[in-house]
Amino acid sequence: MRRFAYIIAAFTAAVLCFGAARPASGEESVAAYGCEIASSAQSMALIDGDTGDLLFFKNCDARREPASTTKICTAITVLEHCTNLDLPMPIPDEAIGVEGSSLYLERGEMLSVRDLLYGLMLQSGNDCAVALAVIVGDSVDGFVKLMNETAEKAGATDTNFVNPHGLHHNEHYTTAHDLCKISYYAMQNETFREIVATKRHKTPYHNHEYCRNFPNKNKILYNYFGGNGIKTGYTRASGRCLVSSATRDGKTYICTVLNCGDMWEESMRLLDKAFSR
């Protein structure tokens, strides 16, 4: 009888613990479903890339500047609003000479939306971001409205974009968890997955005999087994940022680290932790 009573008590304790670990209503933080862990990132979230479930986190609901990881939302917004990716388009004047990382687009040049997307996600071209915004949204402001609608569809409820490239703006913010949600949403798109997993791409170069030939800046593709995305980011205000993904044996995880000095090493450590579960 004493042994039976012990089993009952243990079972009751386990049930109470499970109930305490999961929110009783939708009003409580979704972070309660995951496990808070130590990280060198100021904010971090890692999700199951097949279900979207949050697994590990640290300050994942803190608002932060995302820098060029903004372009994840830019790219999927373009893909959802453009029906012909291969039609050559004139580069808008607004995209000439945009500060920061660039594909060095030229006035009078014509490129397809697809090539601009590769320039956006591999080379992190801020000029590509502006060009795509004007081509797809008729204006940067019009496109940013579409971006915020995309973020809302992805379930990113604490995100506000004011530009398509991620350059500093006080009202441009998201969270580590929201970036994971947007990335999970974007990775459902086959063309998006293909672009962010590409290691090198060539595009035409106006008035030059040779093509632009540029590598993907995401070292996860080269240095991590199964690495297949997604996007880097950096400004002085944001610090070093990375959204990474990897697939092994049919299992995918997506990891976001924001303001993380050792973003490559930390992202790989967190992905290793997920794959070893």
Side-chain angles (χ1 to χ4, degrees), residues 13 34 37 71 79 89 130 149 176 180 190 206 210 224 230 232 246-247:
I37 63 173
K71 292 165 183 165
L79 289 170
M89 302 292 292
V130 173
E149 290 174 358
C180 277
E190 182 179 358
H206 182 64
Y210 53 90
Y224 191 75
I230 300 178
T232 60
T247 301

Side-chain angles (χ1 to χ4, degrees), residues 18-214:
F18 179 78
R22 298 180 68 87
S25 73
E27 296 177 355
E28 297 183 52
S29 172
V30 71
Y33 286 106
C35 175
E36 187 168 9
I37 63 173
S39 174
S40 58
Q42 291 299 305
S43 294
M44 176 275 293
L46 186 146
I47 65 171
D48 187 315
D50 302 311
T51 66
D53 292 340
L54 180 65
L55 302 180
F56 307 134
F57 66 89
K58 173 188 173 183
N59 297 331
C60 69
D61 295 322
R63 290 181 177 179
R64 296 193 180 277
E65 290 193 38
S68 284
T69 59
T70 297
K71 292 165 183 165
I72 298 168
C73 193
T74 303
I76 189 58
T77 301
V78 169
L79 289 170
E80 290 190 339
H81 290 84
C82 184
T83 56
N84 189 343
L85 300 181
D86 297 308
L87 180 67
M89 302 292 292
I91 299 303
D93 289 344
E94 295 93 327
I96 307 303
V98 180
E99 67 176 293
S101 55
S102 178
L103 205 64
Y104 301 103
L105 298 174
E106 298 178 0
R107 186 169 281 103
E109 184 172 6
M110 296 186 70
L111 278 179
S112 70
V113 169
R114 190 183 303 274
D115 281 332
L116 287 170
L117 283 168
Y118 277 99
L120 177 82
M121 298 304 286
L122 275 64
Q123 192 70 7
S124 199
N126 293 336
D127 51 355
C128 294
V130 173
L132 288 165
V134 175
I135 290 169
V136 176
D138 294 327
S139 68
V140 170
D141 288 344
F143 183 79
V144 167
K145 182 179 178 181
L146 296 178
M147 286 179 66
N148 284 311
E149 290 174 358
T150 300
E152 186 176 353
K153 285 191 293 183
T157 57
D158 203 9
T159 291
N160 184 63
F161 295 125
V162 299
N163 62 58
H165 38 60
L167 291 174
H168 169 69
H169 191 288
N170 289 336
E171 297 302 317
H172 188 94
Y173 60 82
T174 186
T175 70
H177 194 191
D178 273 7
L179 265 180
C180 277
K181 291 177 182 179
I182 294 168
S183 300
Y184 173 77
Y185 179 84
M187 289 291 275
Q188 308 309 305
N189 184 287
E190 182 179 358
T191 303
F192 181 91
R193 293 196 307 272
E194 179 181 329
I195 291 171
V196 298
T198 299
K199 293 181 179 179
R200 182 173 289 274
H201 186 71
K202 293 181 180 181
T203 67
Y205 200 168
H206 182 64
N207 288 333
H208 292 268
E209 295 181 356
Y210 53 90
C211 291
R212 295 182 178 92
N213 186 350
F214 49 88

